[in-house]
């Protein structure tokens, strides 16, 4: 029996939302920062290198990219995607990867291929593989999630990993829900579900992404996990109770030129949102969606090289990690959660290596860690002491 379901096309007319320059904004945070922020950045770049933990790619990998990690017990878990055939980010030759090692011995690395181009899935060829992440369902279960073009359609797929038995589950397909309409989580599934419920969408192309930072909110006695989803210029907030079926929440309703990854972080009834834009803009934008009033705040522009950002919360304060100048720089912005226009740059670091797509989480011994891609050749994990950078 196929894991894919038949999709009834919506008979309603689709609405394409054009990308347009942001017409109104509250403030601009430029990349021209004060010397204190640069000095603090210099220290951060040194510390990340000094507290190097491990590279998680497999011997023979020619290209690796897009990391997600967490620490459970005495183990570090990581996902990414890899190309073993050429040193290129090329979904025609990629595979979804899952790796883990003990905190005490990072050289003792276990690496699994979750799915690779050339495999079959429900009798159909796997033609492309892309963004690979994971979520921690409980102390013994991880949900591994990735994008694959199976046959002629992009899907978000998943399989479980049970820690206690070192077991990978069968491959399944994620679901995308808008109102009472539910389809497979595919490009056409997103479009048809939105159209059926009267929503427009921006131009979608290439793969489908789900962001790997999950924050929770209790609704009617149930825990929901929020994150971002994207395909091309389309970006939206989604939520799930099980990391398998995802519900559409909202997409920015003001003119913007968004593209690709959108960072999402929920605090109470407010959903903080940062997304890159098309290259010519020079800025990503920060905004907030009110989950009760269902309204968006006027955005703040943040100087960005159009890379992926990530939020963390430390001691009740929200911070944004992003690439302000290029992918050899890390910027950290302290978000004023009451008035985002008052957000400020904490540091701007010129890293000692390229530092693509930072992902930040708690690590161990009161440290945090950042996983990132070094020139698409290494999936690297380095630690830092948050007290140095985030104390008032």
């Amino acid at each position: 029996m196929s894991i894919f379901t038949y999709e009834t096309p919506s008979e309603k007319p689709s609405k394409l939302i054009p990308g347009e320059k942001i017409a109104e904004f509250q403030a601009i945070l430029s990349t021209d920062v004060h010397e204190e922020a640069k000095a603090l950045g210099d220290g951060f770049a040194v510390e990340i290198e000094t507290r190097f933990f491990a590279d998680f790619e497999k011997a023979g990998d020619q290209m690796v990219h897009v990391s997600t990690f967490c620490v459970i017990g005495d183990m570090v878990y990581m996902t990414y995607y890899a190309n073993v055939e050429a040193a290129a980010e090329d979904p025609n030759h990629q595979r979804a990867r899952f790796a883990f090692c003990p905190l005490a011995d990072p050289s003792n690395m276990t690496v699994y291929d979750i799915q690779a181009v050339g495999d079959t899935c429900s009798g159909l060829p796997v033609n492309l593989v892309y963004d690979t992440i994971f979520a921690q369902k409980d102390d013994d279960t991880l949900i591994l999630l990735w994008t694959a073009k199976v046959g002629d359609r992009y899907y978000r797929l998943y399989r479980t990993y049970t820690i206690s038995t070192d077991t990978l589950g069968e491959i399944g397909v994620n679901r995308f829900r808008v109102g009472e309409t539910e389809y497979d989580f595919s490009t056409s599934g997103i479009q048809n579900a939105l159209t059926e419920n009267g929503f427009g969408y921006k131009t979608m192309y290439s793969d489908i992404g789900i962001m790997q930072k999950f924050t929770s909110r209790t609704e009617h006695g149930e825990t929901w996990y929020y994150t971002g989803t994207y395909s091309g210029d389309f970006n939206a907030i989604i939520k799930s109770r099980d990391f398998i079926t995802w519900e559409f929440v909202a997409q920015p309703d003001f003119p913007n030129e968004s593209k690709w990854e959108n960072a999402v972080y929920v605090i109470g009834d407010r959903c903080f949102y940062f997304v890159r834009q098309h290259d010519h803009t020079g800025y990503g934008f920060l905004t907030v969606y009110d989950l009760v009033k269902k309204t968006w705040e006027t955005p703040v522009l943040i100087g960005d090289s159009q890379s992926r950002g990530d939020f963390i919360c430390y001691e009740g304060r929200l911070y944004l990690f992003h690439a302000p100048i290029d992918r050899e720089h890390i910027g950290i912005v302290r978000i004023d959660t009451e008035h985002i226009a008052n957000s400020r740059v904490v540091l701007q670091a010129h890293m000692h290596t390229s530092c693509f797509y930072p992902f930040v989480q708690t690590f161990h011994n009161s440290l945090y860690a950042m996983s990132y891609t070094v020139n698409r050749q290494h999936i690297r994990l380095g630690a830092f002491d948050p007290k140095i950078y985030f104390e008032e």
Side-chain angles (χ1 to χ4, degrees), residues 191-221:
Q191 293 170 337
N192 279 314
L194 290 171
T195 298
E196 187 65 23
N197 287 271
F199 293 100
Y201 50 84
K202 296 175 79 173
T203 303
M204 298 172 62
Y205 45 90
S206 192
D207 63 315
I208 309 164
I210 296 176
M211 291 294 281
Q212 60 269 74
K213 181 60 60 69
F214 304 103
T215 47
S216 63
R217 183 172 184 262
T218 301
E219 300 173 4
H220 307 294

Side-chain angles (χ1 to χ4, degrees), residues 86-368:
E89 185 179 351
D90 182 354
N92 292 282
H93 302 289
Q94 288 172 180
R95 57 193 60 206
R97 277 279 176 74
F98 173 54
F100 54 89
C101 66
L103 277 167
D105 184 12
S107 66
N108 184 16
M109 190 82 65
T110 300
V111 181
Y112 288 121
D113 285 346
I114 305 169
Q115 187 181 68
V117 171
D119 291 353
T120 58
C121 184
S122 285
L124 296 172
V126 177
N127 294 315
L128 303 170
V129 170
Y130 233 125
D131 284 12
T132 307
I133 66 169
F134 73 92
Q136 182 182 353
K137 184 177 181 181
D138 54 48
D139 289 342
D140 195 38
T141 311
L142 303 180
I143 309 293
L144 313 177
L145 306 108
W146 71 99
T147 305
K149 189 173 186 180
V150 182
D152 61 357
R153 186 173 299 178
Y154 266 114
Y155 291 93
R156 287 299 304 193
L157 303 177
Y158 74 91
R159 58 193 306 186
T160 60
Y161 174 74
T162 304
I163 295 172
S164 59
T165 60
D166 188 21
T167 305
L168 286 167
E170 296 296 319
I171 294 173
V173 60
N174 289 110
R175 303 284 287 172
F176 185 81
R177 186 177 180 87
V178 184
E180 298 302 314
T181 307
E182 184 176 303
Y183 290 119
D184 286 347
F185 204 143
S186 66
T187 308
S188 58
I190 295 170
Q191 293 170 337
N192 279 314
L194 290 171
T195 298
E196 187 65 23
N197 287 271
F199 293 100
Y201 50 84
K202 296 175 79 173
T203 303
M204 298 172 62
Y205 45 90
S206 192
D207 63 315
I208 309 164
I210 296 176
M211 291 294 281
Q212 60 269 74
K213 181 60 60 69
F214 304 103
T215 47
S216 63
R217 183 172 184 262
T218 301
E219 300 173 4
H220 307 294
E222 296 181 307
T223 301
W224 287 85
Y225 299 93
Y226 280 74
T227 190
T229 188
Y230 53 90
S231 178
D233 297 348
F234 167 75
N235 329 89
I237 302 168
I238 54 175
K239 65 178 183 177
S240 177
R241 288 171 291 191
D242 57 9
F243 303 107
I244 295 172
T245 298
W246 295 91
E247 295 195 8
F248 171 79
V249 177
Q251 59 187 323
D253 61 358
F254 49 83
N256 66 81
E257 296 180 279
S258 64
K259 182 180 181 181
W260 298 128
E261 299 90 353
N262 50 342
V264 168
Y265 204 102
V266 169
I267 299 177
D269 294 333
R270 306 177 76 216
C271 190
F272 293 84
Y273 188 98
F274 176 78
V275 64
R276 61 198 279 193
Q277 297 193 90
H278 278 267
D279 292 346
H280 67 268
T281 65
Y283 297 96
F285 67 84
L286 170 72
T287 182
V288 185
Y289 181 69
D290 190 305
L291 293 163
V292 176
K293 297 177 182 178
K294 302 187 185 306
T295 55
W296 290 90
E297 286 192 19
T298 302
V300 169
L301 302 183
I302 298 180
D304 192 80
S305 64
Q306 311 314 337
S307 190
R308 189 186 70 175
D310 184 36
F311 287 114
I312 66 165
C313 195
Y314 175 75
E315 299 291 333
R317 297 185 292 272
L318 186 65
Y319 297 88
L320 171 70
F321 282 65
H322 73 117
I325 296 172
D326 54 33
R327 290 179 179 180
E328 292 186 356
H329 283 77
I330 291 290
I332 302 178
V333 177
R334 164 80 182 276
I335 307 300
D336 187 320
T337 54
E338 295 302 318
H339 304 286
I340 59 172
N342 295 332
S343 300
R344 62 179 179 84
V345 175
V346 173
L347 66 79
Q348 185 171 281
H350 189 183
M351 306 300 287
H352 296 173
T353 67
S354 63
C355 193
F356 295 5
Y357 284 26
F359 179 72
V360 184
Q361 290 269 45
T362 54
F363 192 46
H364 74 122
N365 294 337
S366 300
L367 296 176
Y368 274 57

